[in-house]
PDB file of all heavy atoms in Angstrom:
ATOM      1  N   VAL A 171     -18.509 -55.360  37.156  1.00  0.00           N
ATOM      2  CA  VAL A 171     -17.633 -54.654  38.090  1.00  0.00           C
ATOM      3  C   VAL A 171     -16.249 -54.567  37.466  1.00  0.00           C
ATOM      4  O   VAL A 171     -15.662 -55.591  37.113  1.00  0.00           O
ATOM      5  CB  VAL A 171     -17.557 -55.406  39.442  1.00  0.00           C
ATOM      6  CG1 VAL A 171     -16.593 -54.711  40.373  1.00  0.00           C
ATOM      7  CG2 VAL A 171     -18.932 -55.523  40.060  1.00  0.00           C
ATOM      8  N   GLY A 172     -15.748 -53.360  37.311  1.00  0.00           N
ATOM      9  CA  GLY A 172     -14.406 -53.165  36.790  1.00  0.00           C
ATOM     10  C   GLY A 172     -13.371 -53.304  37.889  1.00  0.00           C
ATOM     11  O   GLY A 172     -13.576 -52.840  39.001  1.00  0.00           O
ATOM     12  N   ILE A 173     -12.270 -53.968  37.575  1.00  0.00           N
ATOM     13  CA  ILE A 173     -11.160 -54.137  38.516  1.00  0.00           C
ATOM     14  C   ILE A 173      -9.995 -53.297  38.014  1.00  0.00           C
ATOM     15  O   ILE A 173      -9.470 -53.525  36.924  1.00  0.00           O
ATOM     16  CB  ILE A 173     -10.730 -55.618  38.620  1.00  0.00           C
ATOM     17  CG1 ILE A 173     -11.928 -56.519  38.933  1.00  0.00           C
ATOM     18  CG2 ILE A 173      -9.617 -55.779  39.642  1.00  0.00           C
ATOM     19  CD1 ILE A 173     -12.609 -56.235  40.245  1.00  0.00           C
ATOM     20  N   GLU A 174      -9.618 -52.302  38.826  1.00  0.00           N
ATOM     21  CA  GLU A 174      -8.510 -51.437  38.434  1.00  0.00           C
ATOM     22  C   GLU A 174      -7.217 -52.225  38.330  1.00  0.00           C
ATOM     23  O   GLU A 174      -6.960 -53.111  39.132  1.00  0.00           O
ATOM     24  CB  GLU A 174      -8.309 -50.326  39.472  1.00  0.00           C
ATOM     25  CG  GLU A 174      -9.228 -49.153  39.305  1.00  0.00           C
ATOM     26  CD  GLU A 174      -8.845 -48.033  40.249  1.00  0.00           C
ATOM     27  OE1 GLU A 174      -7.784 -47.411  40.041  1.00  0.00           O
ATOM     28  OE2 GLU A 174      -9.600 -47.796  41.186  1.00  0.00           O
ATOM     29  N   ASP A 175      -6.408 -51.869  37.381  1.00  0.00           N
ATOM     30  CA  ASP A 175      -5.085 -52.448  37.244  1.00  0.00           C
ATOM     31  C   ASP A 175      -4.222 -51.886  38.378  1.00  0.00           C
ATOM     32  O   ASP A 175      -4.059 -50.672  38.487  1.00  0.00           O
ATOM     33  CB  ASP A 175      -4.491 -52.082  35.879  1.00  0.00           C
ATOM     34  CG  ASP A 175      -3.250 -52.885  35.559  1.00  0.00           C
ATOM     35  OD1 ASP A 175      -2.441 -53.125  36.485  1.00  0.00           O
ATOM     36  OD2 ASP A 175      -3.095 -53.257  34.391  1.00  0.00           O
ATOM     37  N   PRO A 176      -3.677 -52.740  39.244  1.00  0.00           N
ATOM     38  CA  PRO A 176      -2.952 -52.236  40.408  1.00  0.00           C
ATOM     39  C   PRO A 176      -1.538 -51.749  40.121  1.00  0.00           C
ATOM     40  O   PRO A 176      -0.912 -51.143  40.985  1.00  0.00           O
ATOM     41  CB  PRO A 176      -2.921 -53.463  41.332  1.00  0.00           C
ATOM     42  CG  PRO A 176      -2.934 -54.615  40.397  1.00  0.00           C
ATOM     43  CD  PRO A 176      -3.790 -54.181  39.235  1.00  0.00           C
ATOM     44  N   ARG A 177      -1.033 -52.002  38.933  1.00  0.00           N
ATOM     45  CA  ARG A 177       0.337 -51.592  38.640  1.00  0.00           C
ATOM     46  C   ARG A 177       0.419 -50.073  38.566  1.00  0.00           C
ATOM     47  O   ARG A 177      -0.449 -49.417  38.011  1.00  0.00           O
ATOM     48  CB  ARG A 177       0.806 -52.225  37.338  1.00  0.00           C
ATOM     49  CG  ARG A 177       0.901 -53.753  37.450  1.00  0.00           C
ATOM     50  CD  ARG A 177       1.200 -54.392  36.143  1.00  0.00           C
ATOM     51  NE  ARG A 177       0.058 -54.138  35.240  1.00  0.00           N
ATOM     52  CZ  ARG A 177       0.011 -54.514  33.994  1.00  0.00           C
ATOM     53  NH1 ARG A 177       1.021 -55.159  33.444  1.00  0.00           N
ATOM     54  NH2 ARG A 177      -1.049 -54.258  33.250  1.00  0.00           N
ATOM     55  N   GLN A 178       1.472 -49.532  39.133  1.00  0.00           N
ATOM     56  CA  GLN A 178       1.636 -48.088  39.223  1.00  0.00           C
ATOM     57  C   GLN A 178       1.632 -47.412  37.854  1.00  0.00           C
ATOM     58  O   GLN A 178       1.065 -46.338  37.682  1.00  0.00           O
ATOM     59  CB  GLN A 178       2.927 -47.761  39.973  1.00  0.00           C
ATOM     60  CG  GLN A 178       2.891 -46.443  40.668  1.00  0.00           C
ATOM     61  CD  GLN A 178       4.057 -46.311  41.631  1.00  0.00           C
ATOM     62  OE1 GLN A 178       5.099 -46.947  41.464  1.00  0.00           O
ATOM     63  NE2 GLN A 178       3.890 -45.500  42.635  1.00  0.00           N
ATOM     64  N   GLU A 179       2.235 -48.040  36.873  1.00  0.00           N
ATOM     65  CA  GLU A 179       2.334 -47.435  35.547  1.00  0.00           C
ATOM     66  C   GLU A 179       1.048 -47.612  34.737  1.00  0.00           C
ATOM     67  O   GLU A 179       0.877 -46.999  33.686  1.00  0.00           O
ATOM     68  CB  GLU A 179       3.523 -48.029  34.775  1.00  0.00           C
ATOM     69  CG  GLU A 179       3.366 -49.484  34.366  1.00  0.00           C
ATOM     70  CD  GLU A 179       3.704 -50.513  35.453  1.00  0.00           C
ATOM     71  OE1 GLU A 179       4.013 -50.127  36.590  1.00  0.00           O
ATOM     72  OE2 GLU A 179       3.646 -51.709  35.146  1.00  0.00           O
ATOM     73  N   ALA A 180       0.142 -48.434  35.230  1.00  0.00           N
ATOM     74  CA  ALA A 180      -1.089 -48.729  34.484  1.00  0.00           C
ATOM     75  C   ALA A 180      -2.144 -47.667  34.735  1.00  0.00           C
ATOM     76  O   ALA A 180      -2.213 -47.063  35.801  1.00  0.00           O
ATOM     77  CB  ALA A 180      -1.619 -50.097  34.876  1.00  0.00           C
ATOM     78  N   ASP A 181      -2.954 -47.461  33.747  1.00  0.00           N
ATOM     79  CA  ASP A 181      -4.070 -46.531  33.855  1.00  0.00           C
ATOM     80  C   ASP A 181      -5.278 -47.212  33.220  1.00  0.00           C
ATOM     81  O   ASP A 181      -5.326 -47.387  32.007  1.00  0.00           O
ATOM     82  CB  ASP A 181      -3.746 -45.219  33.130  1.00  0.00           C
ATOM     83  CG  ASP A 181      -4.841 -44.189  33.314  1.00  0.00           C
ATOM     84  OD1 ASP A 181      -5.566 -44.265  34.320  1.00  0.00           O
ATOM     85  OD2 ASP A 181      -4.976 -43.312  32.439  1.00  0.00           O
TER      86      ASP A 181
END
Side-chain angles (χ1 to χ4, degrees):
V171 177
I173 307 298
E174 278 187 70
D175 192 321
R177 295 173 296 177
Q178 207 168 25
E179 69 278 3
D181 184 25

